[in-house]
Amino acid sequence: MTDAEADRFLRRISPSAGSTVLDVGCGIGSFSRQLFRWGYDVSGLDISPAAIAIAIAIAQRKGTQERLRYGVHDFDGGVIPTVLRPGSLDLIVCRNVLPFLDHQRFLADARRWLRPGGQLYVLVRVWPERGGEPDERPWQRGFTEEQVQHLQNGWAEQERCWLGRHTALFLTSERRRTE
């Protein structure tokens, strides 16, 4: 995470005691640990058992496994884990992972998992045109500008900022109506 990304993130999203966060595609848990340091209760899920084993070992060594939990999950086909109950999350972060997922399905699931007023933070590389991703670097998958615009549809609030070749989206679910 760059200083610019951290600054934008913290200006738009501020931790509060008891906030629950899902780190999608957490890898070895670097960003999950940062979220924990900022005061969140974090669950990190990734498709790689090897990456999760490293994340768990680090959490155990640091004694943070009570509020920093990890698990293996395939967002495109796995059975939904119990941590992802409808209306159970305050924040979902998805950094450089969304282009590797069935993003329409994931966005629909994310809306369901968030509490009213909950937020989805997406960081994604933007390519100038469809097919602009380099074949020799498949890990740099991204979206076109048109696709990024489409990702913002259906959210009560949307905010976007550029971070070099990446864009950050802050998407907020609808708030519960009070009568």
Side-chain angles (χ1 to χ4, degrees):
M1 172 176 254
T2 65
D3 289 343
E5 183 185 359
D7 180 59
R8 300 262 172 102
F9 184 90
L10 291 172
R11 274 195 275 150
R12 182 63 175 90
I13 298 173
S14 58
S16 60
S19 293
T20 56
V21 180
L22 171 65
D23 185 1
V24 175
C26 67
I28 64 169
S30 300
F31 193 59
S32 299
R33 288 189 298 278
Q34 182 59 58
L35 291 163
F36 173 78
R37 286 190 292 275
W38 286 334
Y40 291 108
D41 290 339
V42 183
S43 294
L45 298 175
D46 197 282
I47 196 167
S48 169
I52 291 299
I54 292 169
I56 290 171
I58 293 170
Q60 288 172 339
R61 188 172 64 244
K62 294 182 180 247
T64 58
Q65 68 270 21
E66 292 301 316
R67 290 182 38 229
L68 184 55
R69 296 163 302 281
Y70 295 102
V72 176
H73 180 62
D74 176 357
F75 284 91
D76 284 344
V79 175
I80 297 175
T82 57
V83 70
L84 301 178
R85 293 181 316 276
S88 64
L89 299 169
D90 297 300
L91 173 64
I92 299 172
V93 297
C94 189
R95 296 178 69 244
N96 294 312
V97 176
L98 196 56
F100 297 92
L101 302 177
D102 175 346
H103 58 275
Q104 292 177 339
R105 175 184 171 180
F106 175 79
L107 292 173
D109 286 342
R111 281 187 197 90
R112 212 173 23 258
W113 298 330
L114 287 168
R115 289 187 173 110
Q119 293 181 292
L120 171 63
Y121 172 70
V122 174
L123 180 71
V124 65
R125 188 170 185 129
V126 180
W127 292 99
E129 58 192 42
R130 198 173 305 275
E133 299 133 342
D135 291 332
E136 69 276 5
R137 296 185 195 145
W139 60 88
Q140 289 187 347
R141 196 176 292 177
F143 288 127
T144 64
E145 181 62 35
E146 180 183 343
Q147 289 171 309
V148 171
Q149 292 297 323
H150 182 70
L151 295 175
Q152 299 174 78
N153 293 340
W155 293 89
E157 298 174 27
Q158 313 91 29
E159 184 177 325
R160 179 178 178 185
C161 62
W162 282 96
L163 297 164
R165 294 181 181 153
H166 291 76
T167 193
L169 300 174
F170 300 90
L171 306 172
T172 305
S173 66
E174 290 192 32
R175 300 187 192 291
R176 183 174 289 136
R177 294 182 185 177
T178 55
E179 298 177 87

